[in-house]
Each structure stands twice: as C-alpha cells, then as structure tokens.
Amino acid sequence: MKISIIGTGYVGLVTGVCLSMRGHHVTCYDNDKNVVESLNKCKPTFYENGLKNNLSTVMTNNGFQTKIISNSTNFDSEIIMVTVGTPFLNGKIDLTFIKEVAKTIGIYLRSVTQFVSVVIKSTVVPGTTDTVIRKIIEKYSGKKIGEFGLGMNPEFLREGNAFEDALEPDRIVLGYEDYETLKLLRKLYESWETEKIEVNTRTAEMIKYANNSLLATQISAVNEIANITQEIGDIDVMDVMRGVFSDKRWSPIHQDGSRIYPDILKYLIPGCGFGGSCFPKDLMAFKVLAEELGINPKMLNSILEINERQPYQIVRLLKKILPILEDAKILILGLAFKPDTDDIRNSVSIEVIRYLLNENAILYAHDPQAIANMQSFLKPQKNLNYVTAWQEILKQIDVIIVLTEWIEYKKIAKNPLIKLMDKKIIFDARRLFNAKEFPRSKYLTIGRSINST
Ligand code: NAD
C-alpha cells in the first residue's frame, strides 16, 4: 500500500520504517528541514536501538523516503497517517501541530478524487479525532466524512524497544469512523499476526489513556509504599515486594510449579518516578479532560503528585547521611528518561540535577547517549559538568547517583575502579543493585531504611 506519514519523530520514523520493512511504500513528511535533510543522508535524528541499520535497509531496498511537507504536497497515498507531537502546554493538551496538519490534509483532499483515509496515531484525548480533526478536514476539503476516511490507531511503542514493539506489538487498535477506513487498516496490518481490536475512534483514544494511567498508577503506588517502608526502619521494600509478588494473582503458577513473572511487575519496582515524553503529559491531559467533564480526578491527581515529589526523595535521603551537599562532588549516571534512548523529555534526571544545583553540589553528569540533548537543555554551568568517561573522574567523586538503568551501569559493581568509592556513597535510584554488591560503600536506595546501610 502507499502510505504517507506526517511527523517524522520517534513514532513517525519508527512506524514508517517498520511499515516499509513489511513491504508498504512509505513516505515520511516533516516540516523541519533539518530532520528531512539528515534522514535523506541516512542519519537518524535521534538514537533508537536498530534505527540506523533498519533505516539504511529500507532506504536502499524498499524505496523509503522522507520529504518536506507543504500546503501543495501531493500525498498520493491510500492512507495518510498523522504522528506529530501533542504536548501539554498552558494547562491542556496542545493540538496546534495536529490542527495544522489536518488543515494541510484538508487542502490536499479538496483537489483529489481518490478515496483517502486519514489515520491519527498521535495521542489525543478521547473525542478529538471525530470532532476537532474531522471538522477541520471537512472545512478545508469541502467534503464530508465518507468521501474521505477517518481512523485512530494509537501507538504503544516504548522508546528503547521501539522496533520490537512496533514489529511485534501485543495488540493493534484499529479505531475507525467509516467501514472503508477499517478495511484499509486491516489491509495495512495484514502481515501482523497479533490481536486486532476494532473500535470507534474515541474508544481507540481512550484505550491509550487508560493504558498509560494504569501503568503510571503502579509506579506511584509502589513509590508511596517504598517511601513509607523507608521511614519504618529495618525493612527493604524489595523484600516486601517479593512477598507481594508471590501471590499467584501477580505471578501465576504453572502446573509444574514454576512461576510466570509478568512484565507488569517491573512497574512495581520502586524508584525516583516516571518521566518521558508520554506518561507525564498524557496523565495531565487526561486529568484536565476529566475536570472539563465535571469529574474530580482524585486518582490521577495523586499519581501525579506522588510522582512530582519522588525525585526529591533522593536529595532528602542523601541529606540524612550527608547533611551539607555544598561542594559535594556528585557523579550522575543517567540523563535519558530510560535506557536505550537519547530522549530526555521530562526525564527525572532534570529534576534531580536542579535540586542538587540548588544545594550547591558540584555535578558531573554522564549518559551513554543523551549528553548532547541534556547539554542543550541544561547548559554546562559553574557546578554542572558533563563527562563522557566517568571512570576518569571517579577518584574525586563523593557520591554516585544512578538514575537510568543503562546496561553499562549495571556493570559498575564489578568494575575494579569501584573500590575508589570505598566509604563513599552509592545511591541506586533505580534498584539495579543490592547492598551486598558494595560492601565497603554506603549504599542508599529508595525504600530501604537508611539504618540498614
Ligand atoms: P516527536 O516530537 O519526536 O516528533 C514529532 C515530529 O512532528 C517532529 O519531527 C516535528 O518536526 C514534526 N511536526 C510538527 N509539526 C508538523 C507539521 N505541521 N507538519 C509536519 N511535521 C510536523 O514526537 P513523538 O515522540 O514521535 O510523538 C508523536 C505522538 O505520538 C505524540 O502524540 C505522542 O504522545 C505519541 N506517542 C509517542 C510515543 C513515544 O514513545 N515517543 C509513544 C506512543 C505515542
């Protein structure tokens, strides 16, 4: 099938490359000249596992293209997919980009006779596709829905695992307003042997918000339990959670006695909170929608409030054993909001860095992929240095804080250089280690009483 994708960021580019890998003729569009020029040289504009190789393969073998968009673009496709950003701005979801694109598509549809389906993949609050988007397309095309198609196909990929998630998703949600669009979506995903859920567009939109809200609920719930545990004394919340997880409703038991440990349990490991380009903004947009509907979203408010406070737990706990952080030399390991990506949007590391700079600590920040992005967001300054080889400065460091679960950080306990941290502090904010791995250091983590160190 001929497919156009508008918005060539994390979702648009990965989706485009995957559809191309499955034999579709894909053109990705963007309004950012740098993005288009860079991709045309086969240079990805962000880091994602497998992206460089897969992009190069589809550009060479499958005719994958990237083009600049304009109001006279001839999309020449059966489906136009929309994957532009939908940030949270000025107290609500910002639909500026998606409205702009709906207008461009409407102008294009005015001049074509062929039936085209417009499929929204960006995350938008329930009711957006079949009201806001539909009206704009109808206005600028002069056509009614039915003369063009409208669908909503929410994306569930996780950065860092994007190709695996897009090529082997758990389910594909096919939201549609007209039967022609459903038929086109079925054809688009024909080669994906996975459960397909066919619903109207607002149900499709709601599935995405319900999914993210429930995942975020687990994270805030376990963080609250961890914070309480921490204060009781002589308890490690991971021992508590081991006891919880062995309930067979969390980890079902096979007939042979072995257990299944579902992925959801990873969301029940305490840490310094969730960040990233989706959870925080999606929960806020969902909460505002609830308020507009006259519902007091108590649960969403609590999830967000716990999460906002969580990065400060690190400073609070650290100060219990190092009351004055002024001039303390702290190595921050991890800037990306999660491993295997260079994305720093709403990364917890930003908050932790800001709190520590307020305390006048001297920071050395490292990440395997995200230094450039963080440097352009938080410029190097008096007490904020970026380092590419953390091993070289270990001698002068008083505290290490591990904030992102990169594999290379998991190896630090076995690195002979770690003996330079004897009697010093290692703050494992992501529960990568256990205290026994650092017998000569002061090991701190979320949900483990300080007096256990
Ligand atoms: P992004 O910011 O990485 O990419 C958006 C792209 O759209 C940018 O390259 C931008 O230049 C382009 N763009 C903006 N306005 C445009 C216009 N008028 N015409 C053409 N291009 C335009 O965003 P993203 O992370 O890919 O997210 C896109 C959507 O997908 C969002 O709604 C997000 O919530 C959702 N989503 C993201 C993820 C994720 O992990 N990133 C996962 C699931 C869903």
Side-chain angles (χ1 to χ4, degrees):
M1 291 173 81
K2 281 184 172 175
I3 311 295
S4 291
I5 297 183
I6 307 181
T8 314
Y10 284 87
V11 170
L13 183 57
V14 172
T15 305
V17 170
C18 289
L19 289 171
S20 185
M21 287 164 87
R22 292 290 176 101
H24 295 296
H25 300 279
V26 182
T27 306
C28 278
Y29 293 88
D30 208 280
N31 62 355
D32 184 331
K33 205 168 97 264
N34 296 329
V35 169
V36 175
E37 278 175 5
S38 178
L39 290 174
N40 281 337
K41 291 183 204 138
C42 200
K43 285 195 186 143
T45 39
F46 54 87
Y47 174 79
E48 175 63 42
N49 258 338
L51 175 58
K52 204 167 173 9
N53 282 346
N54 290 336
L55 177 66
S56 153
T57 307
V58 294
M59 281 180 80
T60 314
N61 303 335
N62 305 24
F64 175 88
Q65 301 182 70
T66 315
K67 291 184 179 169
I68 199 90
I69 196 170
S70 79
N71 270 345
S72 55
T73 296
N74 176 6
F75 293 104
D76 185 24
S77 319
E78 291 155 89
I79 291 179
I80 302 176
M81 214 169 233
V82 181
T83 53
V84 293
T86 47
F88 186 83
L89 205 67
N90 301 326
K92 61 194 298 195
I93 186 167
D94 178 15
L95 297 176
T96 308
F97 303 135
I98 210 162
K99 284 179 175 172
E100 243 171 59
V101 168
K103 180 177 165 188
T104 306
I105 295 172
I107 293 169
Y108 164 70
L109 290 178
R110 183 174 279 274
S111 62
V112 291
T113 47
Q114 113 188 68
F115 182 88
V116 180
S117 273
V118 181
V119 173
I120 306 300
K121 211 180 213 332
S122 302
T123 304
V124 286
V125 292
T128 305
T129 302
D130 68 348
T131 58
V132 182
I133 311 287
R134 178 178 61 79
K135 280 184 195 151
I136 297 174
I137 299 175
E138 287 185 342
K139 177 175 166 193
Y140 287 94
S141 66
K143 292 179 175 168
K144 289 277 164 215
I145 190 161
E147 294 172 88
F148 66 90
L150 193 56
M152 205 286 147
N153 170 220
E155 182 51 62
F156 298 95
L157 65 77
R158 296 160 300 164
E159 288 174 25
N161 288 70
F163 279 93
E164 197 187 317
D165 289 348
L167 291 167
E168 285 165 45
D170 307 334
R171 77 309 213 179
I172 300 176
V173 177
L174 309 180
Y176 64 100
E177 288 301 307
D178 55 285
Y179 192 60
E180 278 311 305
T181 296
L182 177 61
K183 284 201 297 194
L184 286 171
L185 282 170
R186 283 178 181 162
K187 194 169 150 202
L188 179 72
Y189 289 115
E190 209 164 34
S191 67
W192 270 262
E193 286 172 10
T194 185
E195 187 177 354
K196 317 258 167 69
I197 298 169
E198 300 178 355
V199 288
N200 64 15
T201 58
R202 45 180 68 193
T203 308
E205 291 160 338
M206 187 66 182
I207 289 172
K208 177 72 187 170
Y209 282 93
N211 195 65
N212 280 1
S213 301
L214 285 170
L215 291 172
T217 306
Q218 310 308 311
I219 298 171
S220 280
V222 78
N223 281 341
E224 183 149 284
I225 290 170
N227 296 346
I228 298 168
T229 307
Q230 185 110 42
E231 297 307 313
I232 297 173
D234 270 337
I235 314 181
D236 183 340
V237 75
M238 285 316 289
D239 294 332
V240 175
M241 295 315 287
R242 260 212 328 275
V244 173
F245 293 162
S246 56
D247 181 321
K248 66 175 183 288
R249 286 167 295 186
W250 287 112
S251 57
I253 305 174
H254 280 302
Q255 270 179 343
D256 66 5
S258 64
R259 279 192 190 264
I260 302 169
Y261 290 101
D263 253 12
I264 188 69
L265 300 183
K266 291 189 189 138
Y267 289 75
L268 285 167
I269 296 192
C272 46
F274 57 80
S277 66
C278 291
F279 278 13
K281 72 140 175 111
D282 290 350
L283 262 76
M284 285 191 284
F286 197 35
K287 157 196 138 88
V288 171
L289 173 74
E291 284 161 355
E292 284 170 0
L293 294 168
I295 290 164
N296 179 1
K298 283 190 172 184
M299 184 192 76
L300 295 172
N301 279 329
S302 302
I303 299 168
L304 287 163
E305 197 188 316
I306 294 167
N307 197 58
E308 272 157 32
R309 284 199 311 245
Q310 201 61 10
Y312 192 71
Q313 269 296 93
I314 293 174
V315 182
R316 210 177 71 81
L317 296 176
L318 200 52
K319 284 177 88 167
K320 286 195 180 187
I321 54 170
L322 196 62
I324 296 169
L325 292 177
E326 184 162 5
D327 293 336
K329 297 195 175 65
I330 302 181
L331 172 63
I332 303 281
L333 292 181
L335 302 172
F337 85 95
K338 59 180 296 210
D340 299 321
T341 177
D342 61 357
D343 197 348
I344 57 138
R345 289 178 286 184
N346 286 306
S347 171
V348 170
S349 305
I350 297 171
E351 292 309 305
V352 175
I353 288 174
R354 283 183 173 149
Y355 285 133
L356 292 170
L357 287 176
N358 260 345
E359 299 282 338
N360 292 320
I362 302 170
L363 307 183
Y364 299 86
H366 175 269
D367 191 281
Q369 294 292 340
I371 290 182
N373 282 346
M374 190 61 98
Q375 261 178 338
S376 54
F377 189 76
L378 285 178
K379 300 261 173 280
Q381 49 193 275
K382 188 169 153 253
N383 282 353
L384 176 58
N385 311 281
Y386 290 93
V387 293
T388 48
W390 57 268
Q391 298 86 341
E392 287 171 11
I393 54 148
L394 211 51
K395 217 185 226 169
Q396 48 177 309
I397 291 300
D398 304 308
V399 180
I400 295 180
I401 307 180
V402 184
L403 288 171
T404 313
E405 310 96 303
W406 283 98
I407 283 189
E408 74 165 75
Y409 298 157
K410 287 188 187 163
K411 296 178 189 154
I412 67 168
K414 300 215 162 55
N415 190 321
L417 285 175
I418 209 70
K419 69 173 183 321
L420 293 170
M421 292 303 291
D422 283 2
K423 299 203 174 79
K424 297 178 180 175
I425 300 170
I426 295 181
F427 199 126
D428 171 14
R430 293 289 182 188
R431 286 285 181 169
L432 292 189
F433 312 104
N434 65 58
K436 292 193 186 90
E437 291 175 271
F438 302 100
R440 290 175 299 278
S441 303
K442 293 174 194 156
Y443 174 81
L444 291 183
T445 189
I446 307 270
R448 182 172 181 271
S449 315
I450 294 275
N451 62 1
S452 313
T453 59

Short mmCIF file of all heavy atoms in Angstrom, two decimals, residues 63-95:
data_model
loop_
_atom_site.label_atom_id
_atom_site.label_comp_id
_atom_site.label_asym_id
_atom_site.label_seq_id
_atom_site.Cartn_x
_atom_site.Cartn_y
_atom_site.Cartn_z
N GLY A 63 12.60 1.69 -1.05
CA GLY A 63 12.12 2.99 -1.55
C GLY A 63 11.59 3.93 -0.48
O GLY A 63 10.84 4.86 -0.77
N PHE A 64 11.98 3.69 0.79
CA PHE A 64 11.53 4.59 1.87
C PHE A 64 12.08 5.99 1.63
O PHE A 64 13.25 6.17 1.33
CB PHE A 64 12.03 4.05 3.22
CG PHE A 64 11.73 4.97 4.37
CD1 PHE A 64 10.52 4.87 5.05
CD2 PHE A 64 12.64 5.93 4.79
CE1 PHE A 64 10.23 5.72 6.12
CE2 PHE A 64 12.37 6.79 5.85
CZ PHE A 64 11.16 6.68 6.51
N GLN A 65 11.21 7.01 1.78
CA GLN A 65 11.64 8.39 1.53
C GLN A 65 11.20 9.33 2.65
O GLN A 65 10.21 9.05 3.33
CB GLN A 65 10.96 8.93 0.27
CG GLN A 65 11.20 8.18 -1.00
CD GLN A 65 10.49 8.90 -2.13
OE1 GLN A 65 10.89 9.99 -2.54
NE2 GLN A 65 9.42 8.31 -2.62
N THR A 66 11.90 10.43 2.79
CA THR A 66 11.48 11.49 3.70
C THR A 66 11.42 12.79 2.91
O THR A 66 12.34 13.09 2.14
CB THR A 66 12.50 11.67 4.85
OG1 THR A 66 12.85 10.40 5.34
CG2 THR A 66 11.91 12.48 5.98
N LYS A 67 10.32 13.55 3.09
CA LYS A 67 10.17 14.79 2.31
C LYS A 67 9.68 15.91 3.21
O LYS A 67 9.03 15.66 4.23
CB LYS A 67 9.14 14.59 1.19
CG LYS A 67 9.59 13.66 0.09
CD LYS A 67 8.54 13.60 -1.00
CE LYS A 67 8.98 12.69 -2.14
NZ LYS A 67 7.88 12.41 -3.06
N ILE A 68 9.93 17.11 2.76
CA ILE A 68 9.42 18.28 3.47
C ILE A 68 7.94 18.45 3.08
O ILE A 68 7.57 18.20 1.95
CB ILE A 68 10.29 19.54 3.15
CG1 ILE A 68 10.08 20.61 4.20
CG2 ILE A 68 10.08 20.07 1.77
CD1 ILE A 68 11.03 20.51 5.35
N ILE A 69 7.12 18.85 4.03
CA ILE A 69 5.68 18.99 3.77
C ILE A 69 5.37 20.44 3.38
O ILE A 69 6.08 21.37 3.81
CB ILE A 69 4.87 18.60 5.03
CG1 ILE A 69 3.40 18.37 4.71
CG2 ILE A 69 5.03 19.62 6.15
CD1 ILE A 69 2.62 17.76 5.86
N SER A 70 4.35 20.63 2.54
CA SER A 70 3.89 22.00 2.27
C SER A 70 2.40 21.93 1.96
O SER A 70 1.83 20.84 1.85
CB SER A 70 4.65 22.60 1.08
OG SER A 70 4.10 22.08 -0.12
N ASN A 71 1.78 23.10 1.80
CA ASN A 71 0.34 23.10 1.52
C ASN A 71 0.03 22.63 0.11
O ASN A 71 -1.14 22.48 -0.25
CB ASN A 71 -0.24 24.51 1.75
CG ASN A 71 -0.70 24.65 3.19
OD1 ASN A 71 -0.83 23.64 3.90
ND2 ASN A 71 -0.93 25.87 3.63
N SER A 72 1.08 22.39 -0.71
CA SER A 72 0.81 21.85 -2.05
C SER A 72 1.36 20.43 -2.20
O SER A 72 1.50 19.93 -3.31
CB SER A 72 1.40 22.78 -3.12
OG SER A 72 2.76 22.97 -2.84
N THR A 73 1.63 19.78 -1.07
CA THR A 73 2.14 18.40 -1.16
C THR A 73 1.08 17.49 -1.78
O THR A 73 -0.08 17.52 -1.40
CB THR A 73 2.50 17.87 0.26
OG1 THR A 73 3.56 18.66 0.78
CG2 THR A 73 2.91 16.42 0.23
N ASN A 74 1.54 16.67 -2.74
CA ASN A 74 0.67 15.64 -3.32
C ASN A 74 0.98 14.33 -2.61
O ASN A 74 1.97 13.68 -2.92
CB ASN A 74 0.94 15.55 -4.83
CG ASN A 74 0.12 14.44 -5.46
OD1 ASN A 74 -0.73 13.82 -4.80
ND2 ASN A 74 0.36 14.17 -6.74
N PHE A 75 0.13 13.96 -1.65
CA PHE A 75 0.47 12.80 -0.83
C PHE A 75 0.36 11.48 -1.61
O PHE A 75 1.09 10.53 -1.33
CB PHE A 75 -0.43 12.75 0.43
CG PHE A 75 -0.14 13.88 1.38
CD1 PHE A 75 -0.99 14.98 1.47
CD2 PHE A 75 1.00 13.86 2.16
CE1 PHE A 75 -0.72 16.02 2.34
CE2 PHE A 75 1.28 14.91 3.04
CZ PHE A 75 0.41 15.99 3.13
N ASP A 76 -0.56 11.42 -2.55
CA ASP A 76 -0.69 10.24 -3.41
C ASP A 76 -0.60 8.92 -2.62
O ASP A 76 0.27 8.08 -2.86
CB ASP A 76 0.44 10.29 -4.49
CG ASP A 76 0.28 9.15 -5.50
OD1 ASP A 76 -0.86 8.66 -5.65
OD2 ASP A 76 1.30 8.74 -6.08
N SER A 77 -1.51 8.76 -1.65
CA SER A 77 -1.48 7.56 -0.80
C SER A 77 -2.90 7.09 -0.50
O SER A 77 -3.85 7.86 -0.60
CB SER A 77 -0.85 7.84 0.56
OG SER A 77 0.25 8.64 0.46
N GLU A 78 -3.00 5.83 -0.07
CA GLU A 78 -4.32 5.34 0.37
C GLU A 78 -4.58 5.77 1.82
O GLU A 78 -5.71 6.00 2.23
CB GLU A 78 -4.35 3.80 0.30
CG GLU A 78 -4.33 3.28 -1.13
CD GLU A 78 -3.78 1.88 -1.20
OE1 GLU A 78 -4.56 0.93 -1.07
OE2 GLU A 78 -2.55 1.74 -1.38
N ILE A 79 -3.49 5.82 2.60
CA ILE A 79 -3.63 6.25 4.00
C ILE A 79 -2.65 7.38 4.27
O ILE A 79 -1.48 7.30 3.88
CB ILE A 79 -3.33 5.08 4.97
CG1 ILE A 79 -4.42 4.01 4.88
CG2 ILE A 79 -3.19 5.57 6.41
CD1 ILE A 79 -4.20 2.80 5.78
N ILE A 80 -3.14 8.43 4.94
CA ILE A 80 -2.23 9.46 5.46
C ILE A 80 -2.27 9.33 6.98
O ILE A 80 -3.34 9.48 7.60
CB ILE A 80 -2.67 10.88 5.05
CG1 ILE A 80 -2.73 11.02 3.53
CG2 ILE A 80 -1.71 11.92 5.64
CD1 ILE A 80 -3.25 12.38 3.05
N MET A 81 -1.14 9.00 7.55
CA MET A 81 -1.07 8.79 8.99
C MET A 81 -0.48 10.03 9.65
O MET A 81 0.46 10.63 9.11
CB MET A 81 -0.13 7.60 9.22
CG MET A 81 -0.50 6.75 10.37
SD MET A 81 0.49 5.27 10.31
CE MET A 81 -0.78 4.05 10.41
N VAL A 82 -0.99 10.41 10.81
CA VAL A 82 -0.51 11.63 11.48
C VAL A 82 0.19 11.26 12.78
O VAL A 82 -0.41 10.63 13.66
CB VAL A 82 -1.69 12.59 11.75
CG1 VAL A 82 -1.18 13.87 12.41
CG2 VAL A 82 -2.42 12.92 10.45
N THR A 83 1.45 11.66 12.88
CA THR A 83 2.25 11.31 14.07
C THR A 83 3.00 12.53 14.61
O THR A 83 4.14 12.42 15.06
CB THR A 83 3.27 10.19 13.73
OG1 THR A 83 4.02 10.62 12.59
CG2 THR A 83 2.61 8.88 13.43
N VAL A 84 2.36 13.69 14.55
CA VAL A 84 3.02 14.89 15.10
C VAL A 84 2.85 14.91 16.62
O VAL A 84 2.02 14.18 17.17
CB VAL A 84 2.45 16.20 14.48
CG1 VAL A 84 2.81 16.30 13.02
CG2 VAL A 84 0.95 16.30 14.69
N GLY A 85 3.62 15.75 17.29
CA GLY A 85 3.58 15.82 18.74
C GLY A 85 2.29 16.45 19.26
O GLY A 85 1.66 17.28 18.59
N THR A 86 1.88 16.02 20.45
CA THR A 86 0.71 16.59 21.11
C THR A 86 1.11 16.90 22.56
O THR A 86 0.72 16.20 23.48
CB THR A 86 -0.47 15.59 21.10
OG1 THR A 86 0.02 14.30 21.51
CG2 THR A 86 -1.10 15.48 19.73
N PRO A 87 1.94 17.95 22.73
CA PRO A 87 2.46 18.24 24.08
C PRO A 87 1.38 18.75 25.03
O PRO A 87 0.25 19.02 24.60
CB PRO A 87 3.50 19.33 23.82
CG PRO A 87 3.18 19.90 22.48
CD PRO A 87 2.40 18.90 21.71
N PHE A 88 1.76 18.88 26.29
CA PHE A 88 0.87 19.50 27.29
C PHE A 88 1.38 20.92 27.50
O PHE A 88 2.53 21.11 27.88
CB PHE A 88 0.92 18.70 28.59
CG PHE A 88 -0.07 19.17 29.61
CD1 PHE A 88 -1.39 18.76 29.57
CD2 PHE A 88 0.32 20.04 30.62
CE1 PHE A 88 -2.31 19.19 30.51
CE2 PHE A 88 -0.59 20.48 31.56
CZ PHE A 88 -1.91 20.05 31.51
N LEU A 89 0.56 21.90 27.18
CA LEU A 89 1.02 23.29 27.22
C LEU A 89 -0.08 24.18 27.75
O LEU A 89 -1.25 24.01 27.37
CB LEU A 89 1.39 23.69 25.78
CG LEU A 89 2.41 24.80 25.58
CD1 LEU A 89 3.80 24.36 26.05
CD2 LEU A 89 2.47 25.18 24.10
N ASN A 90 0.29 25.14 28.58
CA ASN A 90 -0.68 26.09 29.14
C ASN A 90 -1.91 25.39 29.72
O ASN A 90 -3.05 25.77 29.45
CB ASN A 90 -1.12 27.11 28.08
CG ASN A 90 0.06 27.88 27.54
OD1 ASN A 90 1.00 28.16 28.29
ND2 ASN A 90 0.03 28.20 26.25
N GLY A 91 -1.66 24.34 30.47
CA GLY A 91 -2.75 23.69 31.21
C GLY A 91 -3.64 22.76 30.43
O GLY A 91 -4.66 22.31 30.93
N LYS A 92 -3.27 22.44 29.17
CA LYS A 92 -4.07 21.43 28.46
C LYS A 92 -3.29 20.82 27.29
O LYS A 92 -2.19 21.30 26.96
CB LYS A 92 -5.41 21.99 27.99
CG LYS A 92 -5.30 23.17 27.02
CD LYS A 92 -6.63 23.85 26.89
CE LYS A 92 -7.66 22.88 26.31
NZ LYS A 92 -8.86 23.54 25.83
N ILE A 93 -3.86 19.81 26.68
CA ILE A 93 -3.21 19.20 25.52
C ILE A 93 -3.15 20.25 24.41
O ILE A 93 -4.13 20.96 24.14
CB ILE A 93 -3.95 17.91 25.07
CG1 ILE A 93 -3.18 17.20 23.97
CG2 ILE A 93 -5.37 18.18 24.63
CD1 ILE A 93 -3.67 15.77 23.69
N ASP A 94 -1.98 20.35 23.78
CA ASP A 94 -1.79 21.36 22.74
C ASP A 94 -1.97 20.69 21.37
O ASP A 94 -1.15 19.88 20.96
CB ASP A 94 -0.39 21.96 22.88
CG ASP A 94 -0.09 23.00 21.81
OD1 ASP A 94 -1.05 23.44 21.14
OD2 ASP A 94 1.08 23.34 21.62
N LEU A 95 -3.04 21.08 20.69
CA LEU A 95 -3.35 20.44 19.40
C LEU A 95 -2.88 21.27 18.21
O LEU A 95 -3.27 21.01 17.07
CB LEU A 95 -4.87 20.20 19.30
CG LEU A 95 -5.47 19.24 20.35
CD1 LEU A 95 -6.98 19.16 20.21
CD2 LEU A 95 -4.87 17.84 20.22
#
